């Protein structure tokens, strides 16, 4: 589970704080556990999540990290949390829960676009809904052109 992505996407409508919601992420995990009993859920969050949440939620984030309920990529990891989410899913043959397209990683991980490997997550009126999705294809990079004046 792409925890940072879901914490930002799970903010209640009209959230004035402009911050991710760890409570929404926790609700997503509970909902997924209920719907998929017996499946391991690995929650990955960028190291910035603990600093981005409100001061009231910060101790819960710290505790979840200390308890191993949320994992963070090691410092200096190329691709940060997204790379770790992809690595875990590949290692365990799992499904990624994220609304991210993982565009920079698609070439090295073509399985990201295989049907059934990614679920999108939507927070609607206090309910998390998970649907199959295929990330949009990565756009080919164009070589930079120089313009003369």
């Amino acid at each position: 589970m792409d925890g940072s992505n879901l914490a930002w996407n799970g903010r209640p409508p009209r959230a004035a704080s402009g911050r991710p919601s760890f409570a929404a992420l926790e609700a997503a995990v509970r909902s997924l556990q209920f719907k998929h009993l017996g499946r391991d859920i690995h929650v990955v969050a960028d190291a910035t999540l603990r600093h981005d949440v409100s001061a009231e939620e910060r101790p819960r984030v710290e505790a979840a990290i200390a308890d191993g309920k949320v994992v963070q990529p090691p410092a200096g990891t190329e691709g940060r949390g997204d790379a770790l989410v992809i690595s875990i899913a590949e290692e365990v043959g799992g499904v990624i829960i994220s609304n991210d397209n993982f565009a920079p990683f698609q070439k090295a991980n073509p399985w990201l676009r295989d049907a059934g490997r990614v679920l999108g997550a939507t927070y609607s009126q206090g309910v998390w809904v998970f649907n199959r999705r295929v990330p949009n294809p990565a756009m080919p990079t164009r070589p930079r052109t120089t313009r003369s004046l």
Side-chain angles (χ1 to χ4, degrees):
M1 178 178 282
D2 185 350
S4 297
N5 182 274
L6 271 62
W8 279 102
N9 287 308
R11 287 180 298 157
R14 293 179 234 98
S17 70
R19 296 179 174 276
S21 170
F22 191 67
L25 174 57
E26 290 173 316
V29 171
R30 284 191 304 274
S31 179
L32 198 60
Q33 286 172 329
F34 178 75
K35 293 174 183 178
H36 299 280
L37 293 174
R39 299 283 310 252
D40 289 334
I41 299 174
H42 302 261
V43 181
V44 177
D46 288 329
T48 58
L49 182 66
R50 71 171 78 195
H51 305 290
D52 291 340
V53 297
S54 69
E56 296 80 30
E57 287 191 318
R58 200 164 293 135
R60 289 203 332 265
V61 175
E62 300 281 350
I65 293 167
D67 293 343
K69 293 177 182 174
V70 173
V71 296
Q72 296 176 310
T77 299
E78 188 175 324
R80 303 178 317 172
D82 289 347
L84 185 56
V85 167
I86 292 166
S87 295
I88 291 171
E90 187 171 33
E91 184 72 26
V92 301
V95 174
I96 294 175
I97 294 91
S98 179
N99 295 321
D100 195 323
N101 282 318
F102 301 105
F105 303 96
Q106 288 181 19
K107 186 175 182 182
N109 302 280
W111 58 267
L112 285 167
R113 295 199 21 86
D114 291 350
R117 290 306 301 268
V118 178
L119 292 178
T122 304
Y123 186 72
S124 176
Q125 298 182 21
V127 176
W128 278 96
V129 179
F130 304 97
N131 290 307
R132 288 180 175 223
R133 65 181 289 267
V134 176
N136 294 329
M139 299 301 291
T141 56
R142 294 185 209 167
R144 290 185 150 202
T145 58
T146 57
R147 290 178 39 184
S148 58
L149 297 174

